[in-house]
Amino acid sequence: MNNLRKKTPPAKQQQGVAIITAILLIALGTITMVAINSRQQLDMHRERNEGIIQQARALGVSGERFAAALLYRDFQAGLRENTDSLDDDWAQTIPPVPIDDASISGCIVDMQGRFNLNNLVNAEGVRVDFFYEQLKRLLTELNIEPNKADAIIDWVDVDLNATIPEGAEDDYYTGVSPGYRAANAPFVSVSELQLVKGFGSTVEEESEDYELLLPHVSALPNDDRPTAINVNTATPEVLASLSDEIKPLAADLSRWDTGAYQDYPECENIFDLSADDGPETLGGDERDLEPYESTLLFDQQVDSGDSGAETAPPGTYDVRSRFYQVRIDVEAEGIRLSQYTLFERNNDGKTRVLYRSRDTL
């Protein structure tokens, strides 16, 4: 009998179970309340961030409208025979402007100061030899392998035959991982160039070539005719690509006094024309940066170089522009948004949006 255990009374067993059950219920209740509170806090933060993002987007559109008004006012002013140049009011960086708890800044860039990649083919999608050769000259000027122009041609032309020796069509692009197909259509954006053989973002050397080329190219519509290069805003490298004869004169012909354009698409100091790190001139003397009021004056400047230089075919360069890209940067409570808008300005000075993107070109 002494070895027999004393049994716990049923009442005490039930009391212990009740206490444990109560503790579990309290713990579950606490966990539930914490989870609900955390979810509420997360929802509040999400709603707050969404509100800030919507505010930033609204400010971006407001900045876009301001830029459109600035371009319209420039057209209405009609300065220098209504030519477009780096002396115009739009050609300046807008410093950060505080608006409530946010700030907005940006700049306008003349996209006709660059080589239009869509000029490479005509309306039927067939290669245009002059622009193909111009692209190769531009690549050479930037120390990029000129044969890379072949792959760019194949990206926009309509046929499926790879250009010799460095072209690429579907048989190449379907073999990469992940695979895709050549566009065989005009570029929508210059960032699309990163899909083209030789300019990929995953290979360091190719990515560097893309960054080198980016400040000198554009992706503009050319439904009715090739887009002319504005010699008042063209980079020296783009001017050099117009012809082999113009190449040695390009630094003097350029209206850029600094190499700030190389920082594109960044806006900061891009139009700081007072810096002294610009392209070296032939004589080393101070250059005349007065904008060309006509292509005739540009031709005369070319002829004065005493090199027997010839300009490019008529219609391939001009002193007026239709296409502009506006970059608007918005900072609001720790959130940063960059908006890129491509404008076309018509013969009445009014603009229309052709393309808009956020945080990427």
Side-chain angles (χ1 to χ4, degrees), residues 8 41 47 61 79 114 122 127 143 146 182 192 197 239 268 298 319 328-329 331:
T8 303
Q41 291 292 329
E47 290 178 5
V61 173
L79 300 177
R114 289 117 194 278
N122 59 23
R127 186 180 85 182
N143 293 319
E192 190 180 334
K197 174 187 175 183
L239 287 178
E268 187 177 2
F298 176 75
V319 292
I328 300 296
D329 293 316
E331 288 193 15

Side-chain angles (χ1 to χ4, degrees), residues 116-133:
N116 183 9
L117 294 171
N118 291 330
N119 279 354
L120 289 168
V121 293
N122 59 23
E124 289 73 38
V126 179
R127 186 180 85 182
V128 179
D129 289 339
F130 171 78
F131 294 112
Y132 171 58
E133 294 299 328

Side-chain angles (χ1 to χ4, degrees), residues 3-285:
N3 293 332
L4 293 176
R5 291 183 178 180
K6 294 181 179 180
K7 295 183 178 180
T8 303
K12 289 187 177 181
Q13 287 182 345
Q14 293 175 358
Q15 184 179 12
V17 171
I19 292 173
I20 293 173
T21 302
I23 292 173
L24 288 173
L25 288 174
I26 293 171
L28 288 173
T30 302
I31 293 172
T32 302
M33 291 301 297
V34 170
I36 292 174
N37 185 63
S38 298
R39 181 60 180 268
Q40 288 179 337
Q41 291 292 329
L42 182 62
D43 289 342
M44 290 173 62
H45 280 297
R46 184 182 293 112
E47 290 178 5
R48 178 176 176 273
N49 289 339
E50 184 62 28
I52 296 173
I53 292 173
Q54 292 300 326
Q55 179 193 22
R57 289 177 176 174
L59 289 172
V61 173
S62 297
E64 177 185 291
R65 291 174 179 170
F66 173 78
L70 195 61
L71 289 169
Y72 180 72
R73 188 177 69 176
D74 169 72
F75 180 87
Q76 291 295 102
L79 300 177
R80 296 178 307 277
E81 302 297 325
N82 232 335
T83 59
D84 300 297
S85 73
L86 300 174
D87 285 0
D88 292 344
D89 288 342
W90 59 261
Q92 56 183 308
T93 302
I94 303 172
V97 178
I99 303 175
D100 295 331
D101 295 329
S103 68
I104 184 171
S105 61
C107 59
I108 303 174
V109 178
D110 179 8
M111 299 311 286
Q112 286 186 234
R114 289 117 194 278
F115 175 83
N116 183 9
L117 294 171
N118 291 330
N119 279 354
L120 289 168
V121 293
N122 59 23
E124 289 73 38
V126 179
R127 186 180 85 182
V128 179
D129 289 339
F130 171 78
F131 294 112
Y132 171 58
E133 294 299 328
Q134 183 182 3
L135 176 59
K136 291 201 292 185
R137 286 192 293 267
L138 176 59
L139 295 176
T140 301
E141 190 71 12
L142 296 169
N143 293 319
I144 299 175
E145 173 56 48
N147 284 339
K148 285 191 174 186
D150 296 342
I152 300 177
I153 281 286
D154 287 337
W155 187 262
V156 293
D157 68 10
V158 293
D159 67 53
L160 299 177
N161 302 315
T163 303
I164 304 299
E166 295 295 334
E169 289 285 358
D170 286 351
D171 55 348
Y172 172 83
Y173 295 113
T174 55
V176 301
S177 182
Y180 53 96
R181 301 181 65 181
N184 294 124
F187 282 88
V188 175
S189 167
V190 288
S191 61
E192 190 180 334
L193 188 61
Q194 295 175 98
L195 296 173
V196 177
K197 174 187 175 183
F199 297 95
S201 58
T202 58
V203 180
E204 183 177 359
E205 182 181 350
E206 294 183 4
S207 179
E208 289 175 355
D209 284 350
Y210 169 75
E211 296 294 337
L212 280 173
L213 186 57
L214 185 60
H216 309 281
V217 293
S218 62
L220 307 175
N222 61 347
D223 299 331
D224 52 348
R225 63 185 185 278
T227 307
I229 288 173
N230 187 332
V231 294
N232 282 326
T233 59
T235 67
E237 291 83 355
V238 170
L239 287 178
S241 72
L242 284 171
S243 71
D244 289 329
E245 292 77 15
I246 288 179
K247 178 178 178 178
L249 306 173
D252 281 338
L253 294 171
S254 172
R255 303 295 89 174
W256 284 93
D257 198 26
T258 77
Y261 56 84
Q262 296 172 350
D263 292 333
Y264 174 83
E266 298 298 326
C267 277
E268 187 177 2
N269 299 325
I270 193 170
F271 295 118
D272 182 9
L273 302 183
S274 62
D276 57 1
D277 60 344
E280 184 180 351
T281 63
L282 291 177
D285 298 327

